[in-house]
Amino acid sequence: MRRVKPAAYDDRLTLVEHLDELRNRIIVSLVAFGVAFALCFWQDNLMLEIANWPLPEGTEDPITFSPTEPFFTTVEVSAYGALVISLPVILYQIYAFVLPAFSPHERRTLTPFLIAMPLLFAAGVAFAYFIVLPAATQFLLNFNESEFNIQVRAREYYSFFGITLVALGLLFQIPIVMLSLTRLEIVEPEFFATNRRYAIFAISVVAAAAPGGDPVSMILIMIPLIVLYEASIVIARRFGAPRERGAPPEVSTGEAGS
């Protein structure tokens, strides 16, 4: 791989060079994911124990119904774990590829937000793991339990588990999107405040469409997203508008001393 660092803003790359760099970024991302996947698959028992933790106390281990289901379910759980682990590398590769499209000023504006992306993703994953999943499984697996022989199937549960983690991690990127748009002067902070009702409606739709779809998990997803949205409006008003470049310093209009 010839290019190992981001291209400069004034670099003039041909189409072939752009495609070559894209290929290199994809290879690096795949290698990072592959290494993380191998690590997770090697520790598959630990990964399954971690995934089983949100289940209510006393729940039996998830069951399988076919000879191949244990293997493919383990592969699925390892893939979700590998995605979470390798995401910082993947995000950096995306950043490095699109970096030449931004001017030095825009690059300085976006860099702090790009650094915060993995942190917010980790916060979303932690919130899903410690708050949403235990509450959702407690509600769903105990609902009308006297009328059902409730058992947990491995494929469905681990898919629900992994999608919930990734979805919450991505949804926690809302502040990054909002602050980037304001810092790049694409929209004003007041735009988000004026359209608050539509944002809350969209958040409620996303929460309802999230894995599970039960009232408990929907509310638990909506609350932090609405808080993040409101906090982002406050932060955008305070730090969102970049200082005008080249603006002359303010001149005092007070009377000069005699």
Side-chain angles (χ1 to χ4, degrees), residues 64-124:
T64 59
F65 293 95
S66 71
T68 59
E69 191 171 348
F71 173 76
F72 286 109
T73 301
T74 302
V75 170
E76 182 180 0
V77 173
S78 301
Y80 282 122
L83 179 62
V84 172
I85 294 174
S86 61
L87 186 73
V89 177
I90 296 174
L91 290 176
Y92 173 77
Q93 295 305 316
I94 296 173
Y95 162 69
F97 180 72
V98 303
L99 191 64
F102 296 103
S103 67
H105 168 71
E106 293 170 334
R107 195 177 308 176
R108 288 191 299 269
T109 297
L110 292 177
T111 297
F113 303 134
L114 293 169
I115 294 174
M117 286 175 66
L119 300 178
L120 283 174
F121 183 85

Side-chain angles (χ1 to χ4, degrees), residues 225-257:
L225 293 183
I226 292 175
V227 171
L228 285 173
Y229 186 86
E230 295 294 338
S232 299
I233 293 176
V234 175
I235 296 174
R237 285 171 172 166
R238 178 65 180 85
F239 303 104
R243 183 178 300 175
E244 295 184 3
R245 288 162 288 171
E250 296 183 0
V251 180
S252 174
T253 58
E255 295 181 2

